[in-house]
Amino acid sequence: MKMHILSGGRLKMRKSVYVPDADRQELFEIPVSCYLLKHPQGNVLFDTGCHPSTASNAEERWGGMAKFMTPISGPQDNVIDQLRLLEMGPDDIDVVVNSHLHSDHCGCNEFFKKASFICHAKELEAAQKEDSEKMGFLTVDWKQPMPTETINTQKDVFNDGRIVLVPVPGHTPGMTGALVSLDRSGAFFLASDSVALESNLVKDQIPRNMWNAELASQSMVEIRKIEMGGAKVLFGHDDEQYQTLRTGLEFYD
């Protein structure tokens, strides 16, 4: 199995959202990552990143949210163009896993019309509530007609231990990570927004954009256990880590 880390966009946000003691006026840039897992039984995409249109007119698609989470993406910083670099297209993806249903993680869902989708049942329930847009769930991005399997507990996608989905609630009700086991490169935990930055995990920092801080802290305890078991945690929006990773055409296997 191979794992490609693909750019799903770049954002500019207030640093204090993730680092509570940072100056409230300080801005910083963060990556959005998608993960292509080329498994013998099918191609799995973990998260779909930002919609390509947000690179040129985020406010048209995201409305007021674009003021707090501002895309600064380049023209190829979206999963569709990234797949094209690998000579692949949306129809080559068999399964899409949404770690959660915020727009920077499910923005390209609409393109994967031949894929089946997986997300946590509590995540879908939260997104379907009347006031869900206040929590960052935009129907233009998450609400698509493709079949969706909902999970409540861990799920081994192909029943071979290589891609195991792990619920890690806190950032959202159904936040889900993935424990990926590769033959040569070892194990990785795709944390998404359950742990956005390395400092969150090391210093037990709870970002301000958490739905439930207590659950987020409990999830980080579980993620530390996974890390102690030998898995490398890939943080959701850590640019310093991102710059050290193999991305695009390069891969882990």
Side-chain angles (χ1 to χ4, degrees), residues 1-252:
M1 186 169 76
K2 293 181 180 179
M3 179 176 74
H4 288 266
I5 302 174
L6 307 177
S7 175
R10 287 186 69 82
L11 304 170
K12 183 175 285 187
M13 294 182 64
R14 292 189 186 276
K15 191 173 184 178
S16 60
V17 170
Y18 295 105
V19 182
D21 58 355
D23 187 290
R24 295 295 293 269
Q25 301 306 313
E26 183 180 358
L27 302 177
F28 76 147
E29 297 182 11
I30 58 175
V32 176
S33 297
C34 307
Y35 301 87
L36 172 64
L37 305 170
K38 300 176 79 171
H39 188 281
Q41 295 184 50
N43 293 322
V44 177
L45 186 64
F46 183 87
D47 281 350
T48 68
C50 302
H51 192 276
S53 68
T54 59
S56 57
N57 192 343
E59 193 168 353
E60 182 177 16
R61 190 171 183 89
W62 286 358
M65 191 173 73
K67 296 178 181 179
F68 305 101
M69 192 169 74
T70 306
I72 51 170
S73 307
Q76 289 190 321
D77 286 330
N78 65 79
V79 77
I80 306 304
D81 281 311
Q82 292 282 295
L83 286 171
R84 193 171 292 126
L85 295 176
L86 301 175
E87 299 184 347
M88 297 177 65
D91 288 353
D92 294 312
I93 302 302
D94 302 292
V95 179
V96 171
V97 177
N98 285 137
S99 67
H100 61 302
L101 296 176
H102 283 165
S103 289
D104 56 326
H105 293 266
C106 69
C108 285
N109 278 12
E110 67 178 77
F111 295 99
F112 299 94
K113 300 186 183 303
K114 292 187 177 181
S116 58
F117 284 69
I118 302 174
C119 78
H120 198 285
K122 289 184 179 179
E123 190 72 5
L124 191 58
E125 180 183 353
Q128 291 172 334
K129 291 182 177 179
E130 285 188 15
D131 61 347
S132 64
E133 290 208 358
K134 296 179 181 178
M135 286 186 64
F137 299 117
L138 304 186
T139 56
V140 67
D141 286 320
W142 72 261
K143 192 172 185 179
Q144 304 298 335
M146 288 73 81
T148 299
E149 175 187 354
T150 56
I151 61 173
N152 286 289
T153 58
Q154 290 192 12
K155 177 181 175 62
D156 188 333
V157 177
F158 293 111
N159 296 313
D160 61 0
R162 293 188 178 190
I163 307 172
V164 180
L165 307 183
V166 182
V168 279
H171 178 67
T172 61
M175 180 77 230
T176 300
L179 183 59
V180 176
S181 298
L182 302 173
D183 292 335
R184 290 198 284 188
S185 300
F188 295 84
F189 185 73
L190 314 185
S192 185
D193 277 2
S194 64
V195 189
L197 306 178
E198 182 179 16
S199 63
N200 298 147
L201 193 65
V202 171
K203 299 179 181 180
D204 199 25
Q205 294 172 333
I206 304 299
R208 299 179 189 275
N209 61 354
M210 291 293 175
W211 162 74
N212 186 307
E214 183 178 352
L215 284 178
S217 182
Q218 292 174 10
S219 290
M220 286 205 289
V221 170
E222 296 305 312
I223 292 168
R224 287 191 194 97
K225 291 178 182 177
I226 292 172
E227 185 179 41
M228 289 177 64
K232 180 180 177 66
V233 179
L234 299 182
F235 306 105
H237 295 293
D238 194 311
D239 199 34
E240 189 172 332
Q241 182 190 60
Y242 185 80
Q243 299 302 331
T244 69
L245 300 174
R246 304 174 200 168
T247 58
L249 291 172
E250 296 186 81
F251 59 85
Y252 296 88

